[in-house]
PDB file of all heavy atoms in Angstrom:
ATOM      1  N   PHE A   1     202.551 190.299  20.326  1.00 61.00           N
ATOM      2  CA  PHE A   1     202.244 189.122  21.143  1.00 61.00           C
ATOM      3  C   PHE A   1     201.222 189.463  22.230  1.00 61.00           C
ATOM      4  O   PHE A   1     200.278 188.709  22.470  1.00 61.00           O
ATOM      5  CB  PHE A   1     203.534 188.572  21.769  1.00 61.00           C
ATOM      6  CG  PHE A   1     203.285 187.414  22.684  1.00 61.00           C
ATOM      7  CD1 PHE A   1     202.971 186.157  22.173  1.00 61.00           C
ATOM      8  CD2 PHE A   1     203.330 187.570  24.059  1.00 61.00           C
ATOM      9  CE1 PHE A   1     202.728 185.094  23.012  1.00 61.00           C
ATOM     10  CE2 PHE A   1     203.079 186.514  24.904  1.00 61.00           C
ATOM     11  CZ  PHE A   1     202.791 185.267  24.375  1.00 61.00           C
ATOM     12  N   MET A   2     201.385 190.610  22.880  1.00 63.00           N
ATOM     13  CA  MET A   2     200.477 191.016  23.946  1.00 63.00           C
ATOM     14  C   MET A   2     199.076 191.269  23.384  1.00 63.00           C
ATOM     15  O   MET A   2     198.074 190.889  24.004  1.00 63.00           O
ATOM     16  CB  MET A   2     201.013 192.259  24.664  1.00 63.00           C
ATOM     17  CG  MET A   2     202.233 191.950  25.520  1.00 63.00           C
ATOM     18  SD  MET A   2     203.026 193.390  26.246  1.00 63.00           S
ATOM     19  CE  MET A   2     201.721 194.128  27.152  1.00 63.00           C
ATOM     20  N   MET A   3     198.987 191.884  22.216  1.00 65.00           N
ATOM     21  CA  MET A   3     197.685 192.130  21.606  1.00 65.00           C
ATOM     22  C   MET A   3     196.993 190.810  21.288  1.00 65.00           C
ATOM     23  O   MET A   3     195.800 190.635  21.520  1.00 65.00           O
ATOM     24  CB  MET A   3     197.844 192.983  20.336  1.00 65.00           C
ATOM     25  CG  MET A   3     198.205 194.433  20.636  1.00 65.00           C
ATOM     26  SD  MET A   3     198.559 195.412  19.178  1.00 65.00           S
ATOM     27  CE  MET A   3     197.059 195.281  18.264  1.00 65.00           C
ATOM     28  N   PHE A   4     197.762 189.872  20.774  1.00 61.00           N
ATOM     29  CA  PHE A   4     197.211 188.566  20.469  1.00 61.00           C
ATOM     30  C   PHE A   4     196.740 187.864  21.747  1.00 61.00           C
ATOM     31  O   PHE A   4     195.654 187.294  21.797  1.00 61.00           O
ATOM     32  CB  PHE A   4     198.271 187.714  19.753  1.00 61.00           C
ATOM     33  CG  PHE A   4     197.824 186.303  19.512  1.00 61.00           C
ATOM     34  CD1 PHE A   4     196.904 186.019  18.515  1.00 61.00           C
ATOM     35  CD2 PHE A   4     198.311 185.255  20.290  1.00 61.00           C
ATOM     36  CE1 PHE A   4     196.490 184.719  18.299  1.00 61.00           C
ATOM     37  CE2 PHE A   4     197.889 183.961  20.075  1.00 61.00           C
ATOM     38  CZ  PHE A   4     196.979 183.690  19.072  1.00 61.00           C
ATOM     39  N   ALA A   5     197.521 187.921  22.807  1.00 59.00           N
ATOM     40  CA  ALA A   5     197.183 187.279  24.085  1.00 59.00           C
ATOM     41  C   ALA A   5     195.916 187.891  24.673  1.00 59.00           C
ATOM     42  O   ALA A   5     195.016 187.174  25.138  1.00 59.00           O
ATOM     43  CB  ALA A   5     198.347 187.394  25.061  1.00 59.00           C
ATOM     44  N   PHE A   6     195.814 189.219  24.675  1.00 56.00           N
ATOM     45  CA  PHE A   6     194.615 189.868  25.214  1.00 56.00           C
ATOM     46  C   PHE A   6     193.391 189.545  24.373  1.00 56.00           C
ATOM     47  O   PHE A   6     192.294 189.364  24.897  1.00 56.00           O
ATOM     48  CB  PHE A   6     194.807 191.379  25.317  1.00 56.00           C
ATOM     49  CG  PHE A   6     195.720 191.798  26.436  1.00 56.00           C
ATOM     50  CD1 PHE A   6     196.763 192.671  26.206  1.00 56.00           C
ATOM     51  CD2 PHE A   6     195.531 191.312  27.722  1.00 56.00           C
ATOM     52  CE1 PHE A   6     197.594 193.060  27.234  1.00 56.00           C
ATOM     53  CE2 PHE A   6     196.368 191.697  28.750  1.00 56.00           C
ATOM     54  CZ  PHE A   6     197.408 192.576  28.511  1.00 56.00           C
ATOM     55  N   SER A   7     193.574 189.455  23.078  1.00 61.00           N
ATOM     56  CA  SER A   7     192.476 189.106  22.188  1.00 61.00           C
ATOM     57  C   SER A   7     191.982 187.694  22.497  1.00 61.00           C
ATOM     58  O   SER A   7     190.782 187.442  22.564  1.00 61.00           O
ATOM     59  CB  SER A   7     192.947 189.201  20.736  1.00 61.00           C
ATOM     60  OG  SER A   7     191.977 188.676  19.878  1.00 61.00           O
ATOM     61  N   ALA A   8     192.892 186.784  22.729  1.00 54.00           N
ATOM     62  CA  ALA A   8     192.533 185.404  23.063  1.00 54.00           C
ATOM     63  C   ALA A   8     191.803 185.356  24.400  1.00 54.00           C
ATOM     64  O   ALA A   8     190.827 184.633  24.567  1.00 54.00           O
ATOM     65  CB  ALA A   8     193.776 184.517  23.098  1.00 54.00           C
ATOM     66  N   CYS A   9     192.274 186.150  25.374  1.00 54.00           N
ATOM     67  CA  CYS A   9     191.611 186.187  26.690  1.00 54.00           C
ATOM     68  C   CYS A   9     190.185 186.692  26.563  1.00 54.00           C
ATOM     69  O   CYS A   9     189.276 186.191  27.214  1.00 54.00           O
ATOM     70  CB  CYS A   9     192.383 187.074  27.664  1.00 54.00           C
ATOM     71  SG  CYS A   9     193.927 186.327  28.221  1.00 54.00           S
ATOM     72  N   LYS A  10     189.988 187.697  25.699  1.00 57.00           N
ATOM     73  CA  LYS A  10     188.652 188.248  25.500  1.00 57.00           C
ATOM     74  C   LYS A  10     187.728 187.172  24.925  1.00 57.00           C
ATOM     75  O   LYS A  10     186.594 187.021  25.358  1.00 57.00           O
ATOM     76  CB  LYS A  10     188.730 189.454  24.564  1.00 57.00           C
ATOM     77  CG  LYS A  10     187.416 190.141  24.356  1.00 57.00           C
ATOM     78  CD  LYS A  10     187.572 191.349  23.473  1.00 57.00           C
ATOM     79  CE  LYS A  10     186.227 192.022  23.228  1.00 57.00           C
ATOM     80  NZ  LYS A  10     186.336 193.126  22.321  1.00 57.00           N
ATOM     81  N   ASP A  11     188.241 186.386  23.938  1.00 56.00           N
ATOM     82  CA  ASP A  11     187.441 185.318  23.353  1.00 56.00           C
ATOM     83  C   ASP A  11     187.123 184.242  24.390  1.00 56.00           C
ATOM     84  O   ASP A  11     186.016 183.729  24.443  1.00 56.00           O
ATOM     85  CB  ASP A  11     188.165 184.686  22.157  1.00 56.00           C
ATOM     86  CG  ASP A  11     188.178 185.616  20.945  1.00 56.00           C
ATOM     87  OD1 ASP A  11     187.387 186.588  20.932  1.00 56.00           O
ATOM     88  OD2 ASP A  11     188.982 185.366  20.023  1.00 56.00           O
ATOM     89  N   VAL A  12     188.092 183.889  25.241  1.00 53.00           N
ATOM     90  CA  VAL A  12     187.874 182.894  26.286  1.00 53.00           C
ATOM     91  C   VAL A  12     186.816 183.408  27.256  1.00 53.00           C
ATOM     92  O   VAL A  12     185.911 182.683  27.664  1.00 53.00           O
ATOM     93  CB  VAL A  12     189.194 182.557  27.021  1.00 53.00           C
ATOM     94  CG1 VAL A  12     188.923 181.767  28.282  1.00 53.00           C
ATOM     95  CG2 VAL A  12     190.121 181.796  26.102  1.00 53.00           C
ATOM     96  N   SER A  13     186.903 184.684  27.616  1.00 56.00           N
ATOM     97  CA  SER A  13     185.930 185.276  28.526  1.00 56.00           C
ATOM     98  C   SER A  13     184.541 185.249  27.907  1.00 56.00           C
ATOM     99  O   SER A  13     183.562 184.920  28.559  1.00 56.00           O
ATOM    100  CB  SER A  13     186.343 186.712  28.856  1.00 56.00           C
ATOM    101  OG  SER A  13     185.357 187.332  29.631  1.00 56.00           O
ATOM    102  N   LYS A  14     184.453 185.598  26.618  1.00 60.00           N
ATOM    103  CA  LYS A  14     183.166 185.588  25.937  1.00 60.00           C
ATOM    104  C   LYS A  14     182.613 184.168  25.870  1.00 60.00           C
ATOM    105  O   LYS A  14     181.441 183.936  26.104  1.00 60.00           O
ATOM    106  CB  LYS A  14     183.344 186.164  24.520  1.00 60.00           C
ATOM    107  CG  LYS A  14     182.027 186.430  23.814  1.00 60.00           C
ATOM    108  CD  LYS A  14     182.231 186.964  22.423  1.00 60.00           C
ATOM    109  CE  LYS A  14     182.435 188.461  22.470  1.00 60.00           C
ATOM    110  NZ  LYS A  14     182.462 189.055  21.125  1.00 60.00           N
ATOM    111  N   ASN A  15     183.480 183.182  25.596  1.00 60.00           N
ATOM    112  CA  ASN A  15     183.052 181.780  25.559  1.00 60.00           C
ATOM    113  C   ASN A  15     182.588 181.320  26.932  1.00 60.00           C
ATOM    114  O   ASN A  15     181.619 180.583  27.057  1.00 60.00           O
ATOM    115  CB  ASN A  15     184.183 180.870  25.068  1.00 60.00           C
ATOM    116  CG  ASN A  15     184.412 181.002  23.573  1.00 60.00           C
ATOM    117  OD1 ASN A  15     183.538 181.476  22.849  1.00 60.00           O
ATOM    118  ND2 ASN A  15     185.576 180.592  23.121  1.00 60.00           N
ATOM    119  N   ALA A  16     183.255 181.748  27.985  1.00 58.00           N
ATOM    120  CA  ALA A  16     182.875 181.380  29.350  1.00 58.00           C
ATOM    121  C   ALA A  16     181.506 181.949  29.678  1.00 58.00           C
ATOM    122  O   ALA A  16     180.674 181.274  30.288  1.00 58.00           O
ATOM    123  CB  ALA A  16     183.921 181.873  30.346  1.00 58.00           C
ATOM    124  N   GLN A  17     181.257 183.199  29.248  1.00 67.00           N
ATOM    125  CA  GLN A  17     179.943 183.799  29.497  1.00 67.00           C
ATOM    126  C   GLN A  17     178.856 183.042  28.744  1.00 67.00           C
ATOM    127  O   GLN A  17     177.785 182.782  29.277  1.00 67.00           O
ATOM    128  CB  GLN A  17     179.956 185.273  29.075  1.00 67.00           C
ATOM    129  CG  GLN A  17     180.766 186.162  29.991  1.00 67.00           C
ATOM    130  CD  GLN A  17     180.876 187.583  29.444  1.00 67.00           C
ATOM    131  OE1 GLN A  17     180.545 187.850  28.303  1.00 67.00           O
ATOM    132  NE2 GLN A  17     181.370 188.485  30.284  1.00 67.00           N
ATOM    133  N   THR A  18     179.124 182.674  27.501  1.00 64.00           N
ATOM    134  CA  THR A  18     178.159 181.927  26.704  1.00 64.00           C
ATOM    135  C   THR A  18     177.903 180.566  27.329  1.00 64.00           C
ATOM    136  O   THR A  18     176.752 180.140  27.469  1.00 64.00           O
ATOM    137  CB  THR A  18     178.669 181.754  25.257  1.00 64.00           C
ATOM    138  OG1 THR A  18     178.899 183.053  24.696  1.00 64.00           O
ATOM    139  CG2 THR A  18     177.676 180.990  24.408  1.00 64.00           C
ATOM    140  N   THR A  19     178.963 179.876  27.737  1.00 63.00           N
ATOM    141  CA  THR A  19     178.819 178.572  28.384  1.00 63.00           C
ATOM    142  C   THR A  19     178.018 178.698  29.665  1.00 63.00           C
ATOM    143  O   THR A  19     177.144 177.884  29.952  1.00 63.00           O
ATOM    144  CB  THR A  19     180.208 177.964  28.678  1.00 63.00           C
ATOM    145  OG1 THR A  19     180.912 177.837  27.442  1.00 63.00           O
ATOM    146  CG2 THR A  19     180.088 176.608  29.350  1.00 63.00           C
ATOM    147  N   SER A  20     178.290 179.740  30.440  1.00 65.00           N
ATOM    148  CA  SER A  20     177.572 179.964  31.691  1.00 65.00           C
ATOM    149  C   SER A  20     176.088 180.197  31.429  1.00 65.00           C
ATOM    150  O   SER A  20     175.227 179.660  32.129  1.00 65.00           O
ATOM    151  CB  SER A  20     178.164 181.150  32.437  1.00 65.00           C
ATOM    152  OG  SER A  20     177.448 181.417  33.608  1.00 65.00           O
ATOM    153  N   ALA A  21     175.767 180.975  30.400  1.00 65.00           N
ATOM    154  CA  ALA A  21     174.364 181.251  30.063  1.00 65.00           C
ATOM    155  C   ALA A  21     173.661 179.974  29.616  1.00 65.00           C
ATOM    156  O   ALA A  21     172.517 179.722  30.005  1.00 65.00           O
ATOM    157  CB  ALA A  21     174.289 182.315  28.981  1.00 65.00           C
ATOM    158  N   VAL A  22     174.331 179.164  28.820  1.00 65.00           N
ATOM    159  CA  VAL A  22     173.747 177.900  28.352  1.00 65.00           C
ATOM    160  C   VAL A  22     173.525 176.957  29.534  1.00 65.00           C
ATOM    161  O   VAL A  22     172.490 176.322  29.651  1.00 65.00           O
ATOM    162  CB  VAL A  22     174.650 177.246  27.276  1.00 65.00           C
ATOM    163  CG1 VAL A  22     174.216 175.822  26.980  1.00 65.00           C
ATOM    164  CG2 VAL A  22     174.644 178.082  26.011  1.00 65.00           C
ATOM    165  N   THR A  23     174.504 176.888  30.438  1.00 66.00           N
ATOM    166  CA  THR A  23     174.382 176.037  31.625  1.00 66.00           C
ATOM    167  C   THR A  23     173.226 176.492  32.502  1.00 66.00           C
ATOM    168  O   THR A  23     172.439 175.668  32.973  1.00 66.00           O
ATOM    169  CB  THR A  23     175.702 176.047  32.433  1.00 66.00           C
ATOM    170  OG1 THR A  23     176.752 175.593  31.585  1.00 66.00           O
ATOM    171  CG2 THR A  23     175.607 175.163  33.654  1.00 66.00           C
ATOM    172  N   THR A  24     173.095 177.797  32.705  1.00 67.00           N
ATOM    173  CA  THR A  24     171.995 178.334  33.515  1.00 67.00           C
ATOM    174  C   THR A  24     170.654 177.985  32.887  1.00 67.00           C
ATOM    175  O   THR A  24     169.728 177.560  33.576  1.00 67.00           O
ATOM    176  CB  THR A  24     172.143 179.863  33.669  1.00 67.00           C
ATOM    177  OG1 THR A  24     173.386 180.132  34.310  1.00 67.00           O
ATOM    178  CG2 THR A  24     171.004 180.443  34.476  1.00 67.00           C
ATOM    179  N   LYS A  25     170.536 178.144  31.574  1.00 73.00           N
ATOM    180  CA  LYS A  25     169.294 177.829  30.862  1.00 73.00           C
ATOM    181  C   LYS A  25     168.981 176.342  30.983  1.00 73.00           C
ATOM    182  O   LYS A  25     167.829 175.964  31.226  1.00 73.00           O
ATOM    183  CB  LYS A  25     169.429 178.241  29.388  1.00 73.00           C
ATOM    184  CG  LYS A  25     168.195 178.013  28.574  1.00 73.00           C
ATOM    185  CD  LYS A  25     167.096 178.962  28.973  1.00 73.00           C
ATOM    186  CE  LYS A  25     165.937 178.833  28.014  1.00 73.00           C
ATOM    187  NZ  LYS A  25     164.793 179.586  28.442  1.00 73.00           N
ATOM    188  N   ALA A  26     169.975 175.491  30.868  1.00 68.00           N
ATOM    189  CA  ALA A  26     169.778 174.045  30.989  1.00 68.00           C
ATOM    190  C   ALA A  26     169.310 173.679  32.392  1.00 68.00           C
ATOM    191  O   ALA A  26     168.420 172.848  32.569  1.00 68.00           O
ATOM    192  CB  ALA A  26     171.058 173.299  30.649  1.00 68.00           C
ATOM    193  N   LYS A  27     169.889 174.322  33.401  1.00 72.00           N
ATOM    194  CA  LYS A  27     169.480 174.063  34.784  1.00 72.00           C
ATOM    195  C   LYS A  27     168.038 174.490  35.009  1.00 72.00           C
ATOM    196  O   LYS A  27     167.277 173.801  35.678  1.00 72.00           O
ATOM    197  CB  LYS A  27     170.398 174.792  35.770  1.00 72.00           C
ATOM    198  CG  LYS A  27     171.760 174.150  35.923  1.00 72.00           C
ATOM    199  CD  LYS A  27     172.615 174.921  36.902  1.00 72.00           C
ATOM    200  CE  LYS A  27     174.003 174.333  37.018  1.00 72.00           C
ATOM    201  NZ  LYS A  27     174.862 175.116  37.919  1.00 72.00           N
ATOM    202  N   GLN A  28     167.650 175.646  34.442  1.00 74.00           N
ATOM    203  CA  GLN A  28     166.272 176.129  34.589  1.00 74.00           C
ATOM    204  C   GLN A  28     165.293 175.167  33.917  1.00 74.00           C
ATOM    205  O   GLN A  28     164.232 174.867  34.449  1.00 74.00           O
ATOM    206  CB  GLN A  28     166.136 177.534  33.990  1.00 74.00           C
ATOM    207  CG  GLN A  28     166.825 178.606  34.805  1.00 74.00           C
ATOM    208  CD  GLN A  28     166.855 179.949  34.085  1.00 74.00           C
ATOM    209  OE1 GLN A  28     166.650 180.031  32.880  1.00 74.00           O
ATOM    210  NE2 GLN A  28     167.140 181.003  34.836  1.00 74.00           N
ATOM    211  N   THR A  29     165.662 174.680  32.731  1.00 68.00           N
ATOM    212  CA  THR A  29     164.816 173.747  32.004  1.00 68.00           C
ATOM    213  C   THR A  29     164.674 172.442  32.780  1.00 68.00           C
ATOM    214  O   THR A  29     163.576 171.902  32.916  1.00 68.00           O
ATOM    215  CB  THR A  29     165.395 173.471  30.600  1.00 68.00           C
ATOM    216  OG1 THR A  29     165.479 174.709  29.895  1.00 68.00           O
ATOM    217  CG2 THR A  29     164.541 172.485  29.828  1.00 68.00           C
ATOM    218  N   THR A  30     165.777 171.939  33.321  1.00 68.00           N
ATOM    219  CA  THR A  30     165.751 170.710  34.116  1.00 68.00           C
ATOM    220  C   THR A  30     164.890 170.885  35.350  1.00 68.00           C
ATOM    221  O   THR A  30     164.081 170.021  35.684  1.00 68.00           O
ATOM    222  CB  THR A  30     167.179 170.296  34.517  1.00 68.00           C
ATOM    223  OG1 THR A  30     167.941 170.091  33.325  1.00 68.00           O
ATOM    224  CG2 THR A  30     167.179 169.034  35.344  1.00 68.00           C
ATOM    225  N   LYS A  31     165.022 172.025  36.028  1.00 61.00           N
ATOM    226  CA  LYS A  31     164.228 172.296  37.228  1.00 61.00           C
ATOM    227  C   LYS A  31     162.740 172.342  36.882  1.00 61.00           C
ATOM    228  O   LYS A  31     161.912 171.769  37.592  1.00 61.00           O
ATOM    229  CB  LYS A  31     164.662 173.606  37.873  1.00 61.00           C
ATOM    230  CG  LYS A  31     163.941 173.904  39.166  1.00 61.00           C
ATOM    231  CD  LYS A  31     164.419 175.182  39.801  1.00 61.00           C
ATOM    232  CE  LYS A  31     163.643 175.465  41.081  1.00 61.00           C
ATOM    233  NZ  LYS A  31     164.001 176.734  41.672  1.00 61.00           N
ATOM    234  N   ALA A  32     162.396 172.997  35.787  1.00 58.00           N
ATOM    235  CA  ALA A  32     160.994 173.084  35.368  1.00 58.00           C
ATOM    236  C   ALA A  32     160.438 171.698  35.052  1.00 58.00           C
ATOM    237  O   ALA A  32     159.309 171.370  35.436  1.00 58.00           O
ATOM    238  CB  ALA A  32     160.858 174.003  34.155  1.00 58.00           C
ATOM    239  N   LYS A  33     161.231 170.858  34.378  1.00 61.00           N
ATOM    240  CA  LYS A  33     160.783 169.499  34.058  1.00 61.00           C
ATOM    241  C   LYS A  33     160.633 168.672  35.326  1.00 61.00           C
ATOM    242  O   LYS A  33     159.688 167.898  35.445  1.00 61.00           O
ATOM    243  CB  LYS A  33     161.759 168.831  33.094  1.00 61.00           C
ATOM    244  CG  LYS A  33     161.644 169.358  31.679  1.00 61.00           C
ATOM    245  CD  LYS A  33     162.598 168.654  30.754  1.00 61.00           C
ATOM    246  CE  LYS A  33     162.498 169.219  29.346  1.00 61.00           C
ATOM    247  NZ  LYS A  33     163.447 168.591  28.436  1.00 61.00           N
ATOM    248  N   ASP A  34     161.547 168.820  36.283  1.00 53.00           N
ATOM    249  CA  ASP A  34     161.443 168.104  37.560  1.00 53.00           C
ATOM    250  C   ASP A  34     160.185 168.510  38.309  1.00 53.00           C
ATOM    251  O   ASP A  34     159.481 167.665  38.857  1.00 53.00           O
ATOM    252  CB  ASP A  34     162.669 168.367  38.442  1.00 53.00           C
ATOM    253  CG  ASP A  34     163.919 167.655  37.943  1.00 53.00           C
ATOM    254  OD1 ASP A  34     163.792 166.748  37.088  1.00 53.00           O
ATOM    255  OD2 ASP A  34     165.018 168.010  38.415  1.00 53.00           O
ATOM    256  N   GLU A  35     159.888 169.820  38.334  1.00 49.00           N
ATOM    257  CA  GLU A  35     158.676 170.299  39.007  1.00 49.00           C
ATOM    258  C   GLU A  35     157.432 169.771  38.311  1.00 49.00           C
ATOM    259  O   GLU A  35     156.464 169.391  38.950  1.00 49.00           O
ATOM    260  CB  GLU A  35     158.663 171.829  39.050  1.00 49.00           C
ATOM    261  CG  GLU A  35     159.683 172.413  40.011  1.00 49.00           C
ATOM    262  CD  GLU A  35     159.801 173.926  39.923  1.00 49.00           C
ATOM    263  OE1 GLU A  35     159.135 174.541  39.073  1.00 49.00           O
ATOM    264  OE2 GLU A  35     160.575 174.484  40.722  1.00 49.00           O
TER     265      GLU A  35
END
C-alpha cells in the first residue's frame, strides 16, 4: 500500500510540474501577445 501511495504521489508531483510548465508558457505567450 505504501509503495502504491508513494508512486501515486510521484505521478501527482510530475503532473503538477507539467501543469506548472504549461501555465508558465501560456502566461509568457499571453504577455508577448499583449505587448
Side-chain angles (χ1 to χ4, degrees):
F1 177 74
M2 289 174 57
M3 288 174 59
F4 175 75
F6 287 130
S7 171
C9 288
K10 183 178 178 184
D11 288 344
V12 168
S13 175
K14 190 181 276 188
N15 286 341
Q17 289 174 348
T18 302
T19 301
S20 177
V22 169
T23 302
T24 300
K25 182 70 172 172
K27 285 180 183 177
Q28 289 171 343
T29 301
T30 301
K31 184 178 179 184
K33 286 181 181 178
D34 287 346
E35 289 172 357

